Amino acid sequence: MSERQDAVGVVCADVDGTVLETDLLYESLLFAIKRHPCIVFLVPFWLLRGRAHLKSELARRAAEMSVAVMPLNEEVVAYLRDRAESGSSVILASASHTTLVGKIAERLGFVSCIIGSDDSNNCKGSRKADAIKEQLGDVPWEYVGDSKADLKVWRQAASVVCVSGDRHFSDRVRREFPNARFINKTTWGPATIARALRIHQWLKNALVFLPVALAHQWSNADAIMGSMIAAVSFSCCASGVYLLNDLLDLEADRQHPRKRKRPCASGELPLTLAIALAPVLFTVGFGIAAFASRSFVVILALYLLLTTAYSFRLKALALVDIILLAVLYTIRIVGGGVAAGVPVSQWLLGLSMFLFLSLACVKRFSELLVLQQRNENRTWGRGYSVGDIEQVASFGSASGYISVLVLALYVSSQEVVKLYQNPQVIWLACPLLLYWISRIWLLARRGLVHDDPLVFALRDRVTYVVGFLGMLIFLGAKFAL
């Protein structure tokens, strides 16, 4: 700490992007929209009356929003706490509404007073500088900020602390304020966006190729192209939904031992960027889908409608959530068939519904097991309690075994004779599927399955072996090997 900084007895700090790794305006917006989705239509009208009015309306509707788990810039907080302990007064001076700034001050515990926006004044830039000067008079003060809007405040301050991870912005601050102190800030890049889009989850969309594969249309170029269009469309929309889900589930994710590290929940990815990316991905997804058929566009719209309903409400309803997850997997298969122009077998639909219901139960079971190990009772934003864990396991095991029964009945059907020279070979796939389902549930019981079964499968060598053997079995049945 320089002598000049040490001599300044009052430290004013911005909140959004400085003390917090997130932004209270967008946090309150998302909180309000999740509880009352129709608010999204009111926001433009509030904004027409000014940003101060918008912030006031959102703060009023986010009165119950918790700030206890919002990500802090620990280095900034440590700096401010050190200044407070050395006798300096710490003031939070933010463009966010005073109601929300007050909550942050209470959480920190060492803040002397707050300055923020109210119903008529948007306390940003020069207005913030004026508010600080009005509060302090001729007393010199230090300002800790992070953005271009803070340049006007720094010009009125006795000393400057810049919180930044942007080299170009830091260079600009350094040129204008040679004695400025710098504190690091979380930055994002392509890898951060890739994690937020959950690109590894795109593997789920390989399901769109099943209708073509199981109908033995491998040489049909139009069908393959249709399946590829479906896979890309579903991937874009799915990533948009993941962003939307993360934005609406910030508080719950921050209480989860693993999900709190997600880019949106941790503050690594700016909420503004995530909010902008979601509609872009939806637009790209539907634009690509238009190259398939109108029917596929309808299927994709149904998928988006159901996933959006899941994000807003349905994931909090016990049983409805796991059934809907199974339905969403099955919709991918139906969409693949529609895009490729290949009829989807009723047997395939039955198998997928029961199998994916079992995997959805594995997901919920693993979450409940983590809660049980942490001596907690309620799930994070879900409609289950630890006492439901055995019943969820029963649902999942039963559903998995029914999927094996569907496969066995398929071997005895008339449809199988039309596609395979020696359909009896497919019987070998039944014990293979039975083993895989039993094994994943056994490992889940032991706490060895990631709460996302897909992530588990991607890292599980046995799953690859089972998949390879299954492929050999169906090829053997096809060509009577």
Side-chain angles (χ1 to χ4, degrees), residues 212 216-222 224:
V212 170
H216 303 168
Q217 297 292 314
W218 307 308
S219 59
N220 187 332
D222 290 338
I224 295 295

Side-chain angles (χ1 to χ4, degrees), residues 180-336:
R181 173 191 173 97
F182 290 86
I183 297 178
N184 187 48
K185 180 180 179 180
T186 302
T187 56
W188 59 273
T192 308
I193 295 178
R195 284 171 48 220
L197 299 184
R198 298 187 216 175
I199 291 178
H200 66 280
Q201 297 280 5
W202 289 1
L203 184 63
K204 295 177 181 178
N205 299 312
L207 292 170
V208 302
F209 292 96
L210 277 180
V212 170
L214 296 180
H216 303 168
Q217 297 292 314
W218 307 308
S219 59
N220 187 332
D222 290 338
I224 295 295
M225 179 59 67
S227 297
M228 293 177 65
I229 290 173
V232 176
S233 299
F234 272 116
S235 295
C236 289
C237 286
S239 288
V241 170
Y242 289 138
L243 283 175
L244 179 63
N245 185 68
D246 287 352
L247 289 169
L248 296 173
D249 227 15
L250 289 171
E251 185 174 338
D253 284 353
R254 287 165 180 161
Q255 298 177 62
H256 191 283
R258 181 182 60 84
K259 295 179 181 179
R260 66 186 178 189
K261 298 178 182 179
R262 287 176 175 174
C264 290
S266 66
E268 186 177 352
L269 185 71
L271 298 183
T272 50
L273 180 59
I275 292 171
L277 274 177
V280 170
L281 288 166
F282 295 145
T283 302
V284 172
F286 277 92
I288 294 173
F291 288 97
S293 66
R294 291 182 180 179
S295 298
F296 175 67
V297 172
V298 172
I299 295 293
L300 189 64
L302 177 62
Y303 169 82
L304 182 58
L305 176 64
L306 291 176
T307 50
T308 302
Y310 176 84
S311 297
F312 274 96
R313 288 287 185 270
L314 299 185
K315 66 182 176 183
L317 302 180
L319 301 183
V320 173
D321 63 327
I322 56 176
I323 293 174
L324 183 56
L325 286 174
V327 169
L328 291 174
Y329 279 108
T330 305
I331 284 178
R332 287 177 168 93
I333 296 175
V334 174

Side-chain angles (χ1 to χ4, degrees), residues 104-164:
I104 300 298
E106 290 178 8
R107 178 182 174 184
L108 296 178
F110 52 77
V111 176
S112 302
C113 67
I114 64 170
I115 295 172
S117 298
D118 55 30
D119 297 352
S120 58
N121 179 42
N122 183 35
C123 190
K124 187 175 183 178
S126 58
R127 291 187 178 182
K128 182 187 291 187
D130 292 341
I132 294 173
K133 291 164 65 177
E134 182 179 349
Q135 176 80 20
L136 299 178
D138 295 330
V139 176
W141 44 277
E142 174 182 292
Y143 183 68
V144 185
D146 73 296
S147 67
K148 292 180 180 179
D150 293 320
L151 291 171
K152 295 180 180 180
V153 187
W154 279 322
R155 290 173 186 136
Q156 304 294 321
S159 62
V160 171
V161 177
C162 177
V163 181
S164 176

